[in-house]
Amino acid sequence: MTELIGWFAAAVLLATIGRQVYTQWRDGSTKGLSRWLFIGQITASIAFVVYSWLLSNWVFVVTNALMLVTAVAGECVLLANRRTSAAFLGQG
């Protein structure tokens, strides 16, 4: 039961963050987002993956590895949206 609660929490967290990255991509917006958010998330996720692996806590290894993927995706979307916004403003 304990593991099930952990996997449930991981799914909720990943769905929430994944939805935010998807919305950011869909809207093409960077409003309210700092590049440091994703840099911090990437750094923390790498450290948590190592920490969780050292503890052999597979719920957190998987969760933090997937959080790392969402942070990298979020950073890529943020940079792409900024480039698109800069190009659009440069044409006007």
Side-chain angles (χ1 to χ4, degrees):
M1 184 62 169
T2 303
E3 287 286 314
L4 185 60
I5 293 169
W7 287 113
F8 172 75
V12 170
L13 177 62
L14 290 165
T16 302
I17 299 299
R19 177 63 184 189
Q20 181 60 46
V21 171
Y22 169 75
T23 299
Q24 175 189 341
W25 170 79
R26 183 195 64 209
D27 294 347
S29 174
T30 60
K31 185 177 180 181
L33 292 174
S34 167
R35 184 172 190 198
W36 290 105
L37 168 72
F38 296 112
I39 290 171
Q41 185 183 349
I42 289 167
T43 303
S45 291
I46 290 169
F48 274 128
V49 167
V50 172
Y51 174 73
S52 301
W53 179 73
L54 291 171
L55 294 176
S56 299
N57 187 320
W58 302 114
V59 170
F60 286 116
V61 169
V62 171
T63 301
N64 286 300
L66 293 173
M67 288 297 293
L68 176 59
V69 171
T70 63
V72 170
E75 176 69 11
C76 291
V77 169
L78 177 70
L79 293 174
N81 287 350
R82 284 188 177 166
R83 273 192 302 273
T84 300
S85 179
F88 178 75
L89 293 174
Q91 290 178 0

